[in-house]
Amino acid sequence: MITHESEAIEQYKRQGVGLIRGLLDQTEVDSLLDEANRLWESQQNLSAFNIRVGLRKNIDGEDILERLDPV
């Protein structure tokens, strides 16, 4: 578990990712999850011309939403 900022920086340098536990409390995590779900579900225009969405093909060749930019 990372407890100090310097440890997180070193972990990031070694592994390309750093995990800081306890940065957000459960209420904040739940709020962020709710907003992410709201944004995800509100996407109607899944077009290659919509620069806010990243699309990819699923196994059946259909376009599916992969990411929202910028969030």
Side-chain angles (χ1 to χ4, degrees), residues 14-70:
R14 286 190 316 273
Q15 300 176 346
V17 66
L19 176 63
I20 303 174
R21 294 186 186 277
L23 185 64
L24 302 172
D25 66 29
Q26 190 61 50
T27 302
E28 293 167 312
V29 171
D30 291 342
S31 177
L32 290 170
L33 179 60
D34 288 344
E35 180 63 4
N37 287 333
R38 184 192 71 77
L39 287 170
W40 195 258
E41 293 167 3
S42 71
Q43 297 307 303
Q44 302 296 320
N45 184 15
L46 299 182
S47 160
F49 300 108
N50 182 343
I51 62 172
R52 291 202 63 223
V53 299
L55 300 176
R56 66 176 172 83
K57 302 279 186 199
N58 68 10
I59 196 166
D60 296 322
E62 301 167 328
D63 287 334
I64 60 171
L65 184 60
E66 183 175 60
R67 69 180 186 284
L68 299 172
D69 293 323

